[in-house]
Amino acid sequence: MKYIVVGLGNFGASLSQKLTAQGNEVIGIDTRMEKVDLYKEKISHTICMDATDEFTVSGLPLEETDIVIVAIGEDQGANIMSTAIFKNMEVKRLISRAINPLHEKVLKAIGVDEIVHPEEETAERWSKKLCIKNVVDSFELNAHFSIVEAKVPREYVGMTIREIGFRSKFNLLVLTIMKQHEVKSLLGSKQTELNIQGLATPDQKLEVTDVLVLYGSNKHIKEFLKFEKI
């Protein structure tokens, strides 16, 4: 996988290093040369440039990049400008950082569907979401064990928890299953929400839109989800 991370503050730098350590190619961008120098040995590539300049951004290998992450946190204006430029250039997948609720509304108005809240979500959590196939969200209990929300792998759709053998085959515990349903907002638009179904039972059949809440070691979670790149 190839990533561009704009903004090498605490969150952006940490995420860039974790993605690089997992074997991905990462271009880390910042306007501060000291940040570029600081991480040049820890991130695949670092570039000192202004990502709010459309001409400069157009020179990046955007067609070959799988995911662009705008991690600028100190300057909301720069974050919004940079995000708008990447959105206008129709990158494959765009994720941007929101600093406050109003900022998030602006990003959504631009058309950004995936938004990062570093104050609530760690770089480790996002590296799992980006690098392990089907992971929707995760919570690290310690260095070795996690609780993750994961989409049902295609080969298991239509099977029951018992048939899949989570405990016997994968050494994982299914805590619950979340099912999607559509609701109408106050403005009349349709939104998708996830409903928790309570404790999972062995004979529950999994549907394609279900989200599993799994507990187990990071090793076994990766084995179950194949650890395939998105």
Side-chain angles (χ1 to χ4, degrees):
M1 293 283 284
K2 296 184 178 181
Y3 298 83
I4 291 176
V5 179
V6 182
L8 297 178
N10 291 336
F11 178 77
S14 180
L15 180 59
S16 297
Q17 291 176 84
K18 290 179 185 300
L19 291 172
T20 299
Q22 292 176 12
N24 301 287
E25 185 176 354
V26 181
I27 298 175
I29 294 171
D30 204 284
T31 56
R32 298 162 292 184
M33 194 65 210
E34 64 270 21
K35 291 288 186 181
V36 172
D37 285 338
L38 180 62
Y39 297 111
K40 65 182 179 181
E41 302 297 331
K42 301 172 183 177
I43 301 171
S44 309
H45 315 282
T46 53
I47 301 174
C48 185
M49 62 170 277
D50 181 3
T52 66
D53 182 276
E54 189 169 1
F55 178 77
T56 305
V57 170
S58 67
L60 293 169
L62 300 180
E63 290 188 6
E64 293 78 38
T65 300
D66 298 294
I67 301 176
V68 175
I69 303 155
V70 179
I72 300 171
E74 298 83 1
D75 187 336
Q76 290 186 47
N79 176 298
I80 292 167
M81 279 291 295
S82 179
T83 301
I85 288 171
F86 282 110
K87 181 68 178 178
N88 188 51
M89 292 188 173
E90 299 181 342
V91 296
K92 295 175 186 174
R93 184 177 172 189
L94 178 61
I95 300 168
S96 190
R97 173 181 183 174
I99 300 167
N100 55 50
L102 178 59
H103 184 198
E104 182 171 349
K105 287 180 182 178
V106 174
L107 293 176
K108 287 182 176 178
I110 291 171
V112 179
D113 296 319
E114 294 183 87
I115 296 175
V116 182
H117 303 88
E119 293 75 18
E120 304 167 14
E121 304 169 291
T122 65
E124 177 68 28
R125 191 172 179 178
W126 266 91
S127 69
K128 276 195 177 72
K129 289 170 71 169
L130 293 171
C131 290
I132 304 179
K133 185 179 180 182
N134 291 326
V135 167
V136 176
D137 206 348
S138 70
F139 176 73
E140 300 76 41
L141 300 175
N142 58 35
H144 304 290
F145 290 86
S146 297
I147 294 172
V148 302
E149 296 175 9
K151 297 176 184 176
V152 180
R154 278 176 292 186
E155 60 264 40
Y156 299 127
V157 172
M159 297 176 65
T160 66
I161 290 174
R162 190 195 309 276
E163 289 170 338
I164 296 168
F166 283 93
R167 293 294 296 272
S168 59
K169 186 176 179 182
F170 297 103
N171 201 27
L172 295 175
L173 180 63
V174 182
L175 299 178
T176 189
I177 297 172
M178 296 190 289
K179 292 188 175 290
Q180 290 187 9
H181 79 293
E182 284 191 346
V183 296
K184 280 189 176 181
S185 70
L186 293 174
L187 298 176
S189 61
K190 289 185 177 180
Q191 297 177 332
T192 300
E193 290 186 353
L194 287 170
N195 274 351
I196 296 175
Q197 300 299 300
L199 291 174
T201 61
D203 295 317
Q204 277 187 271
K205 188 173 288 188
L206 303 182
E207 300 176 0
V208 67
T209 57
D210 288 349
V211 173
L212 302 167
V213 181
L214 303 171
Y215 164 75
S217 72
N218 295 332
K219 175 186 174 183
H220 292 141
I221 290 169
K222 290 176 182 178
E223 288 174 353
F224 172 67
L225 297 174
K226 309 284 192 215
F227 199 41
E228 294 173 7
K229 302 286 177 64
I230 298 171

